[in-house]
Amino acid sequence: MSVDNHRGRENPPSRRRPGARMMSARVAACAGIGAGVLLATAAVAGADVPQPTIFTPVSTPAFIIREIAFFVLGITAAIFVLVGGLGVYSMIRFRRPRSDDGAEPPQVYGSRQIELAWTVVPILIVVVLFFVTARYIWGIEHRAQEADALEVTIVGHQWWWEIRYPKLGIVTANELHLPVSDAVRPMPAYLTLESADVIHSFWIPQLAGKMDVIPNKVNRLWVDPRRTGTFVGQCAEYCGLQHGGMLLLVTVHTADDFARWTTEQQASAPDAPAAAAGRELFSSLACISCHTVRGTPANGVFGPDLTHLMSRSTIAAGVIQNTPKTLRAWVEDPESIKPGALMPAMKLSGEEVDKVTAYLLTLK
Ligand code: CUA
């Protein structure tokens, strides 16, 4: 698209050469393929840097998706080779000989065998693909939930993810923490997906397929990450200006680390005396009608729970790293970091911003 726009600026439509549009479409297609290859290469090269990829699954639904993707790719590749091969063979074998007199060759109509073959064979292929896919989907969707399974409720908002652990009494945002689920100690997590506003789509390619997050409808998903690590995801349904700024970070812990994280998150906000002035200022502002800091008057639910804000590595739903500097900039003017973000600038003085930031930095 950008290539097309760029060319459009050079050549207004009225003066465009014929075929320029087709060329730019081709350039765009090549750029798309190039970007895909780059992404795949990056996934292989940067094993440490988390990349959203379907090629290195870590959870059963993602393994199943990769398996079926390769199965479909295998069938379609065989069709491509057969059809392309026959095409190339025909072009070479039946190219125009020097002795050709230019007369029209004999025409063939109505071969029952050929017509049956190209009707029946594709139908069989589609039927096989349909039943194989249906079997896999059934297998994923009808897994029986264990009574003591971990439950997580994820609520899509414009433009961040609310993450609740109802059985554990934890509320956080944008960074999902899960225990590893190995053969010795299976610990699948059951995710309940809800939306507070528009349709979003929850997608962590290494864990499971996309699942729409729809207002007034509850969707479910389960994941069983088999190894520890960090995995990334992204809202996958256009949901407004900051759709692209709605990232997800998943940390998979060992059972002990997950228990430690749980205990830390269950605690109320620490009460640091040094930040008392900032806390008072924060409590006097409209911040508290949108944000919750457990153990304080702040109990709003429109924005992310800030009780353990500093335990999160990013802010603004993964748009920037969570550092004192970026946090200050965010408090001062969210719009400058994430245009369209629904958190307003509170029009604080520089000194007030410093105080509020100093308080937020104590919310470990
Ligand atoms: Cu939320 Cu796209």
Side-chain angles (χ1 to χ4, degrees):
M1 196 177 80
S2 61
V3 175
D4 211 338
N5 285 344
H6 180 63
R7 292 187 72 98
R9 243 175 273 127
E10 281 176 359
N11 292 325
S14 55
R15 280 182 282 132
R16 264 188 176 196
R17 294 186 312 281
R21 179 167 284 279
M22 190 180 274
M23 268 309 289
S24 58
R26 246 180 247 159
V27 172
C30 289
I33 293 167
V37 171
L38 273 180
L39 269 180
T41 318
V44 174
D48 303 347
V49 184
Q51 300 278 344
T53 167
I54 68 156
F55 295 109
T56 51
V58 298
S59 159
T60 305
F63 277 106
I64 291 174
I65 287 168
R66 184 180 63 171
E67 198 176 306
I68 199 166
F70 281 136
F71 176 72
V72 173
L73 186 67
I75 289 184
T76 49
I79 295 171
F80 175 77
V81 168
L82 184 71
V83 174
L86 283 175
V88 171
Y89 170 78
S90 305
M91 274 189 271
I92 296 168
R93 174 71 181 76
F94 301 107
R95 70 190 185 282
R96 188 179 191 177
R98 273 181 215 286
S99 60
D100 187 67
D101 58 4
E104 197 174 325
Q107 302 294 300
V108 180
Y109 293 102
S111 161
R112 182 166 294 167
Q113 285 94 330
I114 292 176
E115 286 186 11
L116 271 176
W118 71 43
T119 308
V120 173
V121 173
I123 287 177
L124 286 179
I125 294 171
V126 171
V127 166
V128 167
L129 290 177
F130 173 80
F131 280 109
V132 170
T133 310
R135 206 190 100 210
Y136 279 116
I137 292 176
W138 180 271
I140 293 177
E141 291 200 342
H142 290 78
R143 185 187 202 282
Q145 180 175 335
E146 300 82 346
D148 60 343
L150 176 66
E151 283 181 21
V152 189
T153 302
I154 295 171
V155 187
H157 292 255
Q158 283 179 316
W159 288 278
W160 59 283
W161 302 96
E162 177 182 341
I163 299 174
R164 298 176 163 268
Y165 297 74
K167 287 182 181 170
L168 302 176
I170 294 172
V171 183
T172 181
N174 305 320
E175 297 183 9
L176 176 62
H177 291 254
L178 298 172
V180 74
S181 176
D182 50 29
V184 188
R185 227 172 137 177
M187 271 294 280
Y190 288 80
L191 314 181
T192 300
L193 304 172
E194 297 170 13
S195 169
D197 36 50
V198 299
I199 301 177
H200 305 271
S201 178
F202 181 85
W203 190 34
I204 300 154
Q206 283 175 279
L207 297 190
K210 289 173 189 164
M211 182 60 83
D212 273 1
V213 179
I214 301 172
N216 299 317
K217 176 163 170 47
V218 172
N219 278 340
R220 289 180 201 285
L221 199 65
W222 62 272
V223 296
D224 59 344
R226 298 179 194 175
R227 67 173 171 86
T228 57
T230 305
F231 309 102
V232 288
Q234 157 78 50
C235 179
E237 176 79 40
Y238 182 71
C239 56
L241 189 58
Q242 280 297 337
H243 157 67
M246 204 172 159
L247 289 87
L248 272 154
L249 195 64
V250 183
T251 308
V252 177
H253 302 271
T254 61
D256 290 348
D257 281 349
F258 183 70
R260 198 170 308 132
W261 179 83
T262 304
T263 313
E264 285 165 10
Q265 294 290 317
Q266 284 168 333
S268 282
D271 190 359
R279 186 174 57 242
E280 238 160 71
L281 177 59
F282 179 82
S283 304
S284 72
L285 295 168
C287 308
I288 61 169
S289 54
C290 284
H291 293 285
T292 292
V293 180
R294 249 177 306 127
T296 78
N299 61 1
V301 293
F302 295 109
D305 187 300
L306 302 179
T307 310
H308 296 286
L309 171 66
M310 296 316 292
S311 71
R312 306 202 278 264
S313 62
T314 60
I315 42 177
V319 169
I320 42 167
Q321 292 298 308
N322 186 6
T323 67
K325 202 172 153 221
T326 54
L327 185 60
R328 190 190 186 285
W330 177 259
V331 171
E332 189 167 33
D333 184 16
E335 188 77 15
S336 66
I337 291 170
K338 193 171 179 178
L342 300 185
M343 172 170 152
M346 302 306 290
K347 311 268 184 241
L348 304 177
S349 70
E351 196 191 332
E352 288 172 324
V353 177
D354 286 338
K355 273 190 194 164
V356 170
T357 310
Y359 167 57
L360 294 177
L361 289 172
T362 66
L363 301 176
K364 299 224 163 68

